[in-house]
Amino acid sequence: MNWTELISNCRLGQEHRHLERHDDRTEFKRDYDRLIFSAPFRRLQNKTQVFPLPGSIFVHNRLTHSLEVASVGMSLGNDVASHLCAKNRDFIDSLIPEIGQIVATACLAHDLGNPPFGHSGEKAIQTFFTEGKGSYLQERVSPEFWSDITRFDGNANAFRLLTHSFKGRRRGGFAMTYSTLASIVKYPWPSTECGKKNKFGFFTTERADYEAVATRLGIPLTAQQRWARYPLVYLVEAADDICYEIMDLEDAYKLKILTYDETAHLMLDFFDETVRNRILQRISDEELTDSNEKIQYLRACTIGRLENECVKTFIDNEEAILNGTFQGSLIDHISSLPAEAYRQCATLSRQRIYKSQPVLDVELSGYRIMATLMELMVEAIEHPERYYSQQLIGRVSSQYDIGNPDLETRLMAVIDYISGMTDVYALDVYQKICGISLPIV
């Protein structure tokens, strides 16, 4: 792969269309603005990140997480672009300096496809077909479609959300640039090629779209008939890895799952003794007495350290990344001291945060809500002549082709509709259709 081919402002669905522009924004900045003002992005404010949506203490949701990931992604992309332009002066007048904007935009989009209630929502959709009442449908759909829905994944759904032409909408979906679209696909192969890890980047319905993107950007197929990873994916992934691991610690501290000493110790471990003492001295010199302010400063230092480490790893391994031979994530290859500190954070998160009672309660409730919605909506599209089915179908937006004669299209429309809900809306619909609550006029 080569950089001049990899960075393209060609738009999906508008490849041969000349658009007259009336301002100085680049095409990549237009992508960013298009996402910021979109309804799917706004809905992230009511989707769970890790902890339940806030009560008296505000913790991260998918929206705040995505904004923070975009901020880190912008820094990663800008630093990499600066290194590339310093090494090759011809890049200065090309699209290479736009890498930071592309990465930031992809970071905004990386969680768009997540259903309500996070991973428990994903699992509820999957198991409706593998363990629930939807299992009978296997004999009525293609093996490729069955693979997609039984492995339903938020990453693949994000690519679908951005590229699919929903009913009444324009060709190419959001009509994003090829480089932005390629940057969100962490696993560039369909569900039928995902192997035991069940990780994939797009549904078979969007395979042609990804193939068009890969061909235009010069992303090669590997010997395993999978595409090589697009280089900027590593930066998007790194920004996400940095933010969710470090920000979850801060949230856990605010919720009193971790003490101040535990949280500070975990963050200080990213630095050698000299830098650690300098950070502690800075906190003292600034006369910070508020523990929340201290944790925020430590968090900023930690994110800065990891960002620098990931940029260095990317630049040091640029050749392998462009050849498609680089293995793992950038975090996997950072230097030993921060790598060990990151592993400690990940271990503690699994033990103390992701298995905490508030998190488990949301997962259990969310799973039941999603499973019920799937059951009732699939039954409705299977028997649209019934009175109750007609009432349910009447709730669904016209953009979802729920009345299509093709069963696979109808099933995917149900998944699109339910996965696009917020946590609050899913709960509200569940309560109403189950007769638990009535609308108040």
Side-chain angles (χ1 to χ4, degrees):
M1 293 180 278
N2 68 82
W3 285 113
T4 54
E5 189 177 9
L6 286 167
I7 309 302
S8 169
N9 57 15
C10 179
R11 293 188 174 279
L12 184 70
Q14 299 179 353
E15 289 85 352
H16 306 294
R17 182 179 174 190
H18 176 72
L19 299 177
E20 185 179 353
R21 299 306 189 192
H22 301 286
D23 55 48
D24 294 329
R25 290 180 300 162
T26 68
E27 296 304 314
F28 307 117
K29 181 62 168 66
R30 292 176 190 278
D31 281 353
Y32 186 92
D33 294 344
R34 192 168 292 181
L35 283 176
I36 282 285
F37 287 94
S38 71
F41 185 73
R42 287 196 301 275
R43 287 197 290 267
L44 292 177
Q45 70 181 310
N46 259 331
K47 288 194 176 186
T48 301
Q49 173 63 16
V50 173
F51 298 104
L53 292 175
S56 58
I57 299 175
F58 192 88
V59 293
H60 288 83
N61 54 38
R62 291 281 175 187
L63 181 68
T64 52
H65 168 71
S66 296
L67 290 168
E68 288 168 351
V69 174
S71 177
V72 174
M74 178 72 82
S75 296
L76 287 164
N78 284 341
D79 287 352
V80 166
S82 294
H83 281 280
L84 295 176
C85 290
K87 188 166 62 173
N88 186 338
R89 305 300 292 178
D90 291 339
F91 284 170
I92 294 175
D93 295 323
S94 70
L95 294 176
I96 302 301
E98 294 292 326
I99 286 176
Q101 184 67 72
I102 297 168
V103 174
T105 303
C107 289
L108 286 184
H110 83 285
D111 271 351
L112 280 187
N114 283 60
F117 310 109
H119 294 303
S120 64
E122 285 180 328
K123 188 58 68 175
I125 293 172
Q126 296 166 6
T127 56
F128 170 76
F129 298 105
T130 58
E131 302 173 9
K133 293 187 177 181
S135 58
Y136 75 94
L137 292 163
Q138 183 173 7
E139 303 301 321
R140 299 178 55 192
V141 299
S142 68
E144 293 80 12
F145 184 79
W146 187 252
S147 178
D148 283 347
I149 61 178
T150 56
R151 293 182 170 96
F152 176 85
D153 181 84
N155 291 312
N157 201 41
F159 188 76
R160 174 178 172 80
L161 186 63
L162 292 177
T163 59
H164 181 66
S165 300
F166 289 94
K167 192 175 180 181
R169 304 298 176 90
R170 65 183 166 193
R171 181 172 173 266
F174 275 59
M176 307 295 279
T177 61
Y178 279 27
S179 291
T180 296
L181 289 173
S183 297
I184 71 166
V185 183
K186 290 173 64 176
Y187 310 103
W189 51 83
S191 66
T192 51
E193 305 293 332
C194 68
K196 294 180 180 179
K197 291 186 177 181
N198 283 341
K199 294 291 188 181
F200 63 100
F202 46 85
F203 299 121
T204 51
T205 47
E206 281 72 56
R207 180 183 180 124
D209 288 331
Y210 187 79
E211 190 166 359
V213 169
T215 300
R216 181 65 174 253
L217 301 181
I219 305 173
L221 275 171
T222 66
Q224 292 77 30
Q225 292 304 298
R226 295 177 171 186
W227 280 276
R229 261 189 165 192
Y230 182 66
L232 301 191
V233 165
Y234 290 102
L235 300 178
V236 176
E237 180 182 44
D240 190 28
D241 287 345
I242 291 169
C243 286
Y244 80 72
E245 198 61 70
I246 305 307
M247 299 312 300
D248 286 353
L249 294 180
E250 185 175 350
D251 281 348
Y253 164 69
K254 289 180 179 178
L255 292 170
K256 303 188 185 311
I257 294 172
L258 298 179
T259 67
Y260 170 82
D261 288 339
E262 287 175 318
T263 310
H265 178 73
L266 286 166
M267 294 184 181
L268 287 169
D269 277 353
F270 282 87
F271 307 94
D272 61 32
E273 186 175 358
T274 301
V275 177
R276 191 181 307 153
N277 289 335
R278 188 160 63 240
I279 291 171
L280 292 173
Q281 184 62 48
R282 177 70 181 272
I283 291 174
S284 176
D285 291 344
E286 293 286 344
E287 297 181 353
L288 294 180
T289 58
D290 184 273
S291 58
N292 288 323
E293 286 291 320
K294 291 179 182 180
I295 292 299
Q296 289 171 19
Y297 180 72
L298 290 170
R299 175 255 296 158
C301 293
T302 304
I303 288 178
R305 174 70 191 274
L306 287 170
E307 192 266 338
N308 290 333
E309 286 282 334
C310 288
V311 169
K312 183 178 185 303
T313 300
F314 188 97
I315 296 302
D316 289 347
N317 293 276
E318 180 192 355
E319 183 177 354
I321 289 171
L322 291 176
N323 290 337
T325 57
F326 185 76
Q327 298 296 313
S329 66
L330 296 179
I331 286 285
D332 293 336
H333 296 270
I334 61 177
S335 56
S336 59
L337 180 64
E340 178 55 33
Y342 190 90
R343 280 190 290 271
Q344 289 178 6
C345 291
T347 300
L348 183 136
S349 295
R350 286 192 299 269
Q351 295 171 349
R352 300 270 302 279
I353 298 176
Y354 306 139
K355 294 183 179 180
S356 64
Q357 184 175 333
V359 174
L360 293 177
D361 285 348
V362 167
E363 290 184 353
L364 289 169
S365 300
Y367 183 93
R368 176 56 54 198
I369 291 168
M370 292 290 287
T372 302
L373 294 179
M374 285 294 300
E375 180 181 331
L376 292 175
M377 287 305 305
V378 170
E379 184 178 356
I381 65 164
E382 279 282 79
H383 304 284
E385 74 285 354
R386 296 175 180 173
Y387 172 77
Y388 189 63
S389 298
Q390 293 172 13
Q391 301 301 101
L392 285 176
I393 291 172
R395 295 185 58 93
V396 181
S397 169
S398 61
Q399 69 174 306
Y400 304 113
D401 198 3
I402 214 154
N404 194 289
D406 178 66
L407 175 60
E408 291 185 4
T409 302
R410 294 201 307 277
L411 287 171
M412 204 65 209
V414 167
I415 294 173
D416 288 334
Y417 170 58
I418 293 176
S419 67
M421 293 179 175
T422 66
D423 294 17
V424 173
Y425 183 66
L427 173 61
D428 180 60
V429 172
Y430 169 81
Q431 290 177 332
K432 286 185 172 68
I433 66 179
C434 291
I436 298 172
S437 69
L438 292 172
I440 300 174
V441 179

